[in-house]
Amino acid sequence: MQQHTISVLVNDQPGVLTRVATLFGQRGFNIDSITVGGTEEQGLSRMIISTGGDDRQINQLMKQLHKLIDVISVTNLSENPFVSRELALIKVTASPSQLAELNGIVEPFRAAIVDVGPSSLIVQVTGDTEKIDALLVLLQNYGVIELTRTGSVAMARSIVPATAAATV
Amino acid sequence: MSVEMAELQKKNGIPPIQFGEEVSGAETLLRCLILEQVEYIFGYPGGAVLPIYDSLYGSYFKHILTRHEQGAIHAADGYARATGKPGVCIATSGPGATNLVTGIATAQMDSVPLVCITGNVAQSLIGTDAFQEANITGITIPITKHSYFVRDIRDLPRIVKEAFHIATTGRPGPVLIDIPKDVANEKAPFTYPDKVEIRGYRASLVPSDEQVQEFVKAVSEAKRPVILAGGGIIAAQAEKELRDFAEKTRIPVINTFMGLGGFPGTHELSLAMPGMHGNYTANQALLNADCVIGLGARFDDRITMGRTKEFAPKARIVHVDIDPAELGKNVETAVTVAGDVKSTLAKAIPLAKACDSEAWISQLKEWKEQYPYKYKKDGDVLKPQAVIELLYNSTDGEAIVTTDVGQHQMWTAQYYKFKHPRSFISSGGLGTMGFGFPAAIGAQIAHPDRTVISVVGDGGFQMTNQELAIVSQYNIPVKVAIVNNQCLGMVRQWQELFYDNRYSQIDLTCSPDFVKLAEAYGVKGLRASTPEEAEAVWAEALAHDGPVVVDFRVAQEENVYPMVASGNTLDQMELGDD
């Protein structure tokens, strides 16, 4: 089963998220992650949904999504190069004396320590799922007290010659 | 007001409407319904819809007060199926609204255009678990084409306009409008939009010329083709196009259960119904075809038996459907056309040529003669199949027939040869007991001059028989034919065949005396227990100028055959003992 990232442009109305989530449940699909937020156009929201399935299943899912009256467009971002980012906040057991040591760990990930307490601190990290997972493995040595992470926000890359496409 | 609307009002003799006049939400709703050319409303009042019912008082509308909200929505559904126009029903908040749920799901499964209006508690009380509060828009999300919760009276005209548009266009379906009481009471100047603009909603799908050419090419190459014509033929009013296409290409037509009447059952190219209780020829046609052309049919599991790999194993499947999500959903297809069946066929007919199918047609004709629907006659015992034959012969196949769900439904589909679209009205997708009788009321209201027969079982009839009050009150001349085997027949059949005759909870011998029940409502009641009595009693029923309930006491142990048992494939048919 392949992972797919679906971008769904919807009317910004109460109940639209319920309609989309209900459709997934009704048709037997699982939502691995979902993020919803504003778009470049007032009155519309964009949902980024990560889900699994083979080509036939994903094709069917996209058609079913498109049947919802509040859905404007549906795009399978996974069909083309796209940028995907998550945000995670990780509260780790650590005293202020371990700050420098932890800084050394989070820096290569371009993460940041955004809160320091007497016995814990909070690391903020953005990136793709794998990057966040990798940092999490390292931080688990210190003891992760609490973790909260968003689903992916994603966007198709601009169309450029394949050789010039860069990963930022 | 636009010129079109003014002309429309004049043409239909509907009362003049003052635009700009300050009116309540309830009055706004009714004005919108007038402009949507609604004539009948099926409903049941209650606290949250009192403003609407107050506006209805002395209004233009013909309101049918059913005795249960389920009766109201099934009647609206029957009206919609019999006419193609949207059915409209009203229920109050909470239990009134939730009593619509079965009817909404029934309409959704069979793609029936309905506009369901529910009241709700005032917005200040929403979310407080107030008396008779229910989140009906939330409850019905999975079973509506769309739903609205009206927060502001100024949105109401647009919402009603959109609701009718959504319910009746594309693949039709039920739309719910939930109106809180404060919105119904609030006042605003009346307006009504001329047009509907719903971004992202594709109401009409006319296929491209290229798609139609591909469709025609695939069909023309076939030597053993068969058309599987579904309910989409009827919804799209494509029966003429289907007939022209079938006759020109010489392709036999199988009508799915929902498609019965979409192609005349009496036509030489008709193979009638396939699937679990379909006939031998239709199923053999699917098993041996080299091309199956699905037209507005969704390859339901009662046809494929859920064994989609073994379904039509020698055929390329060509599928035309207005709902793109149906294409490739249940079976793998070689050619797909996302489009309206009517416009697809209209484009295809000039391009199409006769297939080299005469040998195939001869083979099918042989099977038809060799394996017709048949049952064993047994002297004075009244067989249920004989009842349906009697109904068919006595009306020459011209009646509108509604059914509930179960054995009587399958016998009706088998033995009544439907010739016209919208003459067979039955809950196909959801299989709703209690549907047939109220649906017949709606159909009869829509067609007062036609014979409307409600074939019901003794089980299903007891789910909505309180609507006898309606046929009595409004003198609606529905003829109710109860196929009474004093048990839940289809359940009994399955328990006999698959549960070793362990008849668990199917005994309905303690039912009311249906003749007396009818009489209690002021409706004529008749009974027959032999073929001879059946003929005489049915003739009396048809001659009676008003509603009649006929209690046909039939053989209890009769089973529906042919049958493909659940889990089997179409080539594993049991034809019955005679």
Side-chain angles (χ1 to χ4, degrees):
Chain A
M1 191 165 65
Q2 285 180 307
Q3 278 302 114
H4 291 261
T5 301
I6 315 284
S7 173
V8 189
L9 190 64
V10 298
N11 285 321
D12 181 13
Q13 301 264 1
V16 175
L17 178 59
T18 310
R19 287 180 200 280
V20 170
T22 300
L23 186 144
F24 271 74
Q26 189 181 1
R27 300 286 171 185
F29 289 95
N30 186 44
I31 296 174
D32 294 328
S33 82
I34 184 166
T35 60
V36 190
T39 66
E40 66 284 359
E41 189 175 334
Q42 203 173 7
L44 300 183
S45 296
R46 183 168 280 110
M47 297 181 178
I48 303 295
I49 304 170
S50 300
T51 187
D54 59 28
D55 288 348
R56 197 192 68 80
Q57 289 169 323
I58 295 301
N59 191 25
Q60 172 64 203
L61 172 65
M62 291 177 64
K63 286 176 179 173
Q64 293 290 347
L65 279 168
H66 213 284
K67 280 173 71 172
L68 296 178
I69 305 296
D70 280 318
V71 168
I72 312 295
S73 68
V74 186
T75 312
N76 185 356
L77 294 173
S78 308
E79 288 177 346
N80 292 297
F82 70 103
V83 180
S84 170
R85 294 289 181 269
E86 280 182 47
L87 166 70
L89 295 174
I90 309 161
K91 188 180 282 178
V92 182
T93 306
S95 61
S97 62
Q98 293 174 288
L99 199 56
E101 182 185 336
L102 275 158
N103 252 327
I105 291 172
V106 302
E107 228 170 61
F109 288 87
R110 295 188 194 171
I113 295 169
V114 293
D115 179 67
V116 179
S119 59
S120 67
L121 50 83
I122 298 175
V123 176
Q124 171 192 296
V125 58
T126 58
D128 59 26
T129 306
E130 290 74 22
K131 176 181 163 185
I132 292 170
D133 287 346
L135 177 60
L136 201 53
V137 168
L138 294 176
L139 292 178
Q140 258 156 2
N141 295 329
Y142 294 84
V144 173
I145 302 167
E146 193 178 342
L147 165 70
T148 179
R149 61 197 285 183
T150 66
S152 299
V153 289
M155 190 176 277
R157 286 188 178 279
S158 305
I159 300 170
V160 291
T163 50
T167 301
V168 179
Chain B
M1 180 170 57
S2 70
V3 175
E4 291 82 21
M5 276 189 188
E7 282 175 359
L8 185 78
Q9 281 179 254
K10 200 174 163 190
K11 185 178 146 202
N12 292 293
I14 56 182
I17 287 173
Q18 294 297 319
F19 281 67
E21 186 183 0
E22 184 139 304
V23 292
S24 69
E27 178 62 24
T28 299
L29 170 72
L30 296 185
R31 289 182 178 202
C32 296
L33 296 183
I34 286 175
L35 292 170
E36 289 297 329
Q37 304 181 61
V38 173
E39 194 179 354
Y40 286 96
I41 297 173
F42 302 86
Y44 204 103
V49 285
L50 280 177
I52 297 172
Y53 274 82
D54 186 58
S55 292
L56 265 174
Y57 187 79
S59 76
Y60 154 86
F61 292 102
K62 295 166 185 126
H63 180 277
I64 306 296
L65 174 66
T66 55
R67 297 303 187 261
H68 191 289
E69 288 88 353
Q70 190 175 357
I73 190 164
H74 290 330
D77 184 317
Y79 178 89
R81 294 191 204 218
T83 60
K85 294 193 273 188
V88 176
C89 62
I90 298 180
T92 193
S93 63
T98 56
N99 278 343
L100 296 180
V101 167
T102 300
I104 295 172
T106 303
Q108 171 81 347
M109 288 288 270
D110 290 345
S111 307
V112 178
L114 289 187
V115 175
C116 308
I117 295 151
T118 52
N120 213 326
V121 299
Q123 288 183 83
S124 58
L125 294 171
I126 291 280
T128 66
D129 298 328
F131 176 67
Q132 291 197 329
E133 183 195 353
N135 174 12
I136 194 64
T137 46
I139 289 168
T140 58
I141 280 175
I143 54 168
T144 48
K145 188 171 174 188
H146 194 52
S147 57
Y148 293 93
F149 178 76
V150 186
R151 292 166 194 278
D152 187 327
I153 184 177
R154 283 163 296 192
D155 294 332
L156 186 55
R158 172 186 58 79
I159 285 172
V160 175
K161 184 88 179 169
E162 286 182 4
F164 277 87
H165 180 69
I166 291 168
T168 54
T169 54
R171 181 177 183 167
V175 179
L176 182 129
I177 307 173
D178 193 30
I179 306 174
K181 198 168 181 179
D182 55 312
V183 172
N185 282 324
E186 198 183 346
K187 287 193 167 184
F190 181 72
T191 60
Y192 201 60
D194 285 340
K195 288 180 185 163
V196 174
E197 283 173 22
I198 306 170
R199 195 170 161 187
Y201 175 62
R202 291 178 295 174
S204 167
L205 280 174
V206 178
S208 66
D209 292 347
E210 290 74 27
Q211 276 185 307
V212 174
Q213 280 160 10
E214 194 186 359
F215 165 73
V216 170
K217 184 171 180 286
V219 169
S220 66
E221 287 166 356
K223 288 191 165 45
R224 299 187 311 280
V226 65
I227 291 170
L228 186 66
I233 295 291
I234 296 164
Q237 299 180 344
E239 51 277 356
K240 185 185 176 302
E241 287 79 3
L242 171 61
R243 191 172 173 151
D244 290 349
F245 182 74
E247 287 175 351
K248 187 173 183 188
T249 54
R250 298 294 292 160
I251 302 179
V253 179
I254 295 172
N255 284 112
T256 70
F257 178 84
M258 288 304 297
L260 290 173
F263 187 78
T266 47
H267 196 285
E268 55 135 356
L269 289 171
S270 170
L271 304 182
M273 188 175 76
M276 179 177 274
H277 292 298
N279 68 74
Y280 180 85
T281 312
N283 284 348
Q284 283 298 318
L286 289 168
L287 288 165
N288 291 286
D290 62 355
C291 181
V292 173
I293 305 145
L295 299 175
R298 61 190 177 91
F299 296 93
D300 169 68
D301 61 272
R302 279 295 185 271
I303 292 173
T304 65
M305 305 306 298
R307 302 277 296 268
T308 51
K309 293 274 183 277
E310 291 100 334
F311 172 75
K314 301 168 188 169
R316 295 179 80 206
I317 294 180
V318 178
H319 194 182
V320 181
D321 205 292
I322 197 159
D323 180 356
E326 288 301 337
L327 304 172
K329 186 177 92 176
N330 292 334
V331 291
E332 274 191 35
T333 46
V335 177
T336 59
V337 179
D340 169 55
V341 178
K342 190 181 178 83
S343 53
T344 304
L345 290 180
K347 279 187 166 192
I349 289 165
L351 306 175
K353 290 176 188 156
C355 295
D356 179 13
S357 59
E358 290 310 315
W360 170 238
I361 291 171
S362 295
Q363 169 69 77
L364 294 169
K365 195 176 167 198
E366 259 179 51
W367 280 333
K368 267 164 82 172
E369 284 163 6
Q370 206 176 343
Y371 301 103
Y373 289 126
K374 58 184 178 181
Y375 63 96
K376 195 173 181 179
K377 293 186 178 155
D378 188 8
D380 268 355
V381 177
L382 182 58
K383 290 296 184 81
Q385 300 93 328
V387 171
I388 308 300
E389 283 181 327
L390 173 62
L391 306 185
Y392 174 69
N393 292 330
S394 64
T395 55
D396 194 27
E398 294 291 334
I400 295 174
V401 181
T402 74
T403 78
D404 267 4
V405 166
Q407 288 183 314
H408 72 277
Q409 180 191 34
M410 289 301 119
W411 284 316
T412 304
Q414 292 177 340
Y415 287 90
Y416 200 102
K417 295 178 185 66
F418 293 94
K419 293 190 272 189
H420 308 294
R422 305 195 180 282
S423 58
F424 178 54
I425 293 173
S426 186
S427 167
L430 197 67
T432 307
M433 287 177 75
F435 169 81
F437 179 44
I441 294 171
Q444 185 77 82
I445 285 170
H447 296 290
D449 299 329
R450 288 186 66 180
T451 301
V452 176
I453 303 169
S454 175
V455 184
V456 292
D458 44 326
F461 187 53
Q462 291 186 67
M463 290 194 176
T464 48
N465 65 17
Q466 75 280 357
E467 304 308 341
L468 282 167
I470 305 304
V471 295
S472 179
Q473 181 180 352
Y474 300 102
N475 194 32
I476 299 167
V478 168
K479 315 300 179 199
V480 181
I482 307 174
V483 179
N484 185 353
N485 57 8
Q486 300 185 61
C487 68
L488 293 172
M490 193 60 96
V491 182
R492 193 205 62 78
Q493 177 168 339
W494 281 53
Q495 287 175 344
E496 177 191 322
L497 299 176
F498 311 119
Y499 293 88
D500 198 22
N501 295 340
R502 288 159 58 84
Y503 297 126
S504 176
Q505 303 300 320
I506 48 115
D507 181 13
L508 294 180
T509 48
C510 187
S511 291
D513 179 328
F514 290 114
V515 174
K516 285 185 180 167
L517 179 74
E519 288 169 355
Y521 279 103
V523 171
K524 189 179 182 71
L526 298 166
R527 178 170 292 121
S529 302
T530 66
E532 197 176 307
E533 282 175 6
E535 282 214 25
V537 156
W538 184 245
E540 188 182 345
L542 285 180
H544 179 66
D545 184 22
V548 185
V549 172
V550 184
D551 182 17
F552 289 106
R553 293 298 186 105
V554 300
Q556 187 177 66
E557 63 282 0
E558 202 67 13
N559 286 341
V560 183
Y561 287 110
M563 180 177 188
V564 180
S566 212
N568 284 350
T569 52
L570 291 181
D571 59 345
Q572 295 167 301
M573 282 188 90
E574 291 175 47
L575 295 173
D577 57 358
D578 192 6

